[in-house]
Amino acid sequence: MKFEIEDVTVYFPYDNIYPEQYSYMVELKRALDARGHCLLEMPTGTGKTIALLSLITSYVLSKPQSPLKLVYCTRTVHEMEKTLAELKKLHDYQVKHLGPAARILAVGLSSRKNLCVNPRVLSAENRDSVDAGCRKLTASWVRALAEKNPSVPTCEFFEDYERAGSGAVLPPGVYTLQDLRAFGKQKGWCPYYLARHMVQLANVIVYSYQYLLDPKVAGIISKEMQRECVVVFDEAHNIDNVCIEALSVCVRRQTLEGATRNLHRMEQEIDRFKATDESRLRAEYQRLVEGLALRGDLRVNDTWLANPALPDDILKEAVPGNIRRADFFLRVLRRFVQYLKGRLETENVEKESPVAFVASVTNQAGIDQKTLKFCYDRLHSLMMTLEITDTDEFLHIQTICDFATLVGTYARGFSIIIEPFDERMPDVQDPVLQLSCHDASLAIKPVFDRFQTVVITSGTLSPIDLYPRLLNFNPVVSRSFTMSLTRDCICPMVLTRGSDQLPVSTKFDMRSDLGVVRNYGRLLLEMVCVVPDGIVCFFVSYSYMDEIVNSWNESGILKEIMQHKLVFIETQDVVETTLALDNYRRACDCGRGAVFFSVARGKVAEGIDFDRHYGRLVIMFGVPFQYTLSKILLARLEYLRDTFQIKEGDFLTFDALRQAAQCVGRVIRSKADYGMMIFADKRYSRHDKRSKLPGWILSHLRDAHLNLSTDMAVYIAREFLRKMAQPYDKAGSGGKKTLLSQEDIEKMGDGSLNDMLY
């Protein structure tokens, strides 16, 4: 269907549209017109992705002179592929209506591991090894050697791509990662470098958050993006945590031992160069004296990692004199590694500001702040000069220089925390030194400053007013949408006590109480008898899940549950969990029914859907608060309180409830779907906790469902499932419509939209 929103003709590839999709597009267009940033919360399963893509691509089509470009950031490769598949359908529809004028180029960009087609490189087991394998075949000095000596291996795909020169371009179209690999194989070109080159020319780019938020990656991939970009962060409820992770560094004993080995090897390389080709080291020294920008003249296949600090923070000044000579620089790094080793030999937890830490480094190791700041750039330059290709072997020294540069650059928003052992295993000596970022706005500020519109959207952004404070920006539009339904297909319940009327909670003083564990077990047992197909259970942590499952096993509850449904458990091993998920789905498909035990902050809680019969009920056992004794969390809470006036309790509750909402939201992925959500903890009955859940869940949470015991919850579940089994009118009748046709939209006068729908 196609329809008008003010002066834009929107092309939408389906025959009907949800009212909330239409409202979402109206708000999004307001933000684009205002050239400002926006926050939009839209319930899961209401077609957020296609609404975004339709509106933004149609907006660009309506302004042919506009250089507007869409940068769509997803969290996982799976989400990236789903977005590109949706865009493909939309693109075909637009071309059918508008002809060749609507053609665009859209590419997905991922790591070499997902795009490489060279079997020799792909055989490596992890991403860092694949990157290093690629560099061993494509670095400029390796290729120069291969010209003189044909027996030196190179990558034929990269060579063919280079030979094609300016002819190596993608024809218009939408390319998923699979399409890029297929095109690369067919042409004999390297899909990874082709995609990186096409990013500058494409109208739509889909890639991971890190490509914009992590300065080390953004400095290479995204630095040439023009201002006229609409940047979308999808599933952005945890965006503050992604920003913080991008600027945090963790150093352990293994890191320091590895760094010492790296330095030893680099010394050997320098000695070899001094004996055979000293002119290279002299040329590098000269370049550093003149302060020439190192990255300006690097070939695309040699750029390796940009600086970990943000571009504005690195002044265009020359590298300090004391680290221009390669052997001097290594001596400085040795002293720094030695200093860090000394700091790890501590019996007590220590916390310092970057300023105090740098002062201590200067006093004890004789390394000043400016020298620390340039460590990363200087290391990069040296590794290029020494022609080091196996970068995966040098990850330890990179981590140390990453740490040095960040601590030398930022005086605020960070803490250095040294812990002699893991808090959860106080008997095991495992010292760790962490540079912990507390200010999410540091990583995202350049994105807000550089691009004209940034859209932050997700199904769980409640309370929506906290995000502008956490990320330090002013949105021009901030809206939360509800779900228009012809039947109440979501049934949230708050369970506060078991059948024996004892309260249930995962509060620290109650969680190991046998009564609580037994009541949680009885709840699940009662539910597996009533609810068909799949049930998903979320626990607050891996350790709590282990404790409860062991207890249920000893008391025989688990055996009783397994008489009704099979039980699968998420572990910290990705391969095991994937296998468990596949078997869970097979058990649901064949009618046996299954229960999946998962963790609220684990892999399954993000991005895995339990739609249709894979999830008829989600039970959230407890409130998933972060580990509140964590020194890093305490330092961040203190920073948020002092800088943004966000109270500790408010932030912890907000963080726990967005996580809980994310978990229970897995169960409903479309309006034809239905599912129940049980919040099993007496704390959810308190208004201050409950009110922080998203509006689309709260609107279905009746007062009668607020303070339930297990028996009452079972009764409500039976009634709900009986009701859901009846046929229903998908389009909505009476005055309330949940599917709008083209005629409905045309009939709507200005302002009558809400009267007609909600």
Side-chain angles (χ1 to χ4, degrees), residues 652-663:
L652 286 170
T653 304
F654 150 77
D655 182 64
L657 287 173
R658 68 173 165 182
Q659 207 56 50
Q662 195 54 29
C663 293

Side-chain angles (χ1 to χ4, degrees), residues 373-482:
K373 186 167 152 180
F374 278 94
C375 278
Y376 203 88
D377 268 350
R378 183 67 190 90
L379 176 75
H380 188 209
S381 167
L382 182 58
M383 289 180 77
M384 303 297 296
T385 305
L386 298 178
E387 299 183 344
I388 288 172
T389 51
D390 48 352
T391 44
D392 56 333
E393 301 289 325
F394 284 82
L395 290 173
H396 297 298
I397 194 67
Q398 288 171 42
T399 304
I400 299 298
C401 289
D402 188 352
F403 178 88
T405 293
L406 285 168
V407 86
T409 304
Y410 296 111
R412 290 191 70 251
F414 286 80
S415 292
I416 288 91
I417 296 170
I418 307 168
E419 299 179 79
F421 43 74
D422 189 321
E423 286 148 330
R424 296 167 199 216
M425 298 171 71
D427 312 329
V428 181
Q429 193 77 12
D430 180 22
V432 58
L433 184 149
Q434 298 176 82
L435 174 70
S436 173
C437 175
H438 308 313
D439 192 345
S441 65
L442 287 174
I444 204 167
K445 186 177 184 295
V447 180
F448 285 138
D449 290 350
R450 232 175 93 202
F451 301 116
Q452 69 179 39
T453 301
V454 177
V455 180
I456 292 175
T457 186
S458 174
T460 37
L461 287 179
S462 297
I464 207 162
D465 56 342
L466 204 55
Y467 283 88
R469 287 159 71 192
L470 280 175
L471 302 175
N472 202 11
F473 77 111
N474 292 316
V476 291
V477 173
S478 177
R479 268 292 301 274
S480 183
F481 300 92
T482 54

Side-chain angles (χ1 to χ4, degrees), residues 553-602:
N553 190 33
E554 284 162 16
S555 62
I557 289 179
L558 202 58
K559 197 172 178 186
E560 287 185 64
I561 290 169
M562 285 167 72
Q563 285 172 355
H564 298 276
K565 293 186 191 298
L566 298 178
V567 173
F568 298 92
I569 300 182
E570 175 186 358
T571 65
Q572 285 168 319
D573 182 299
V574 177
V575 179
E576 264 181 28
T577 302
T578 309
L579 199 61
L581 265 172
D582 285 348
N583 287 325
Y584 168 81
R585 291 211 158 100
R586 281 171 57 198
C588 293
D589 288 339
C590 73
R592 175 72 174 84
V595 182
F596 195 85
F597 289 166
S598 181
V599 173
R601 294 180 188 273

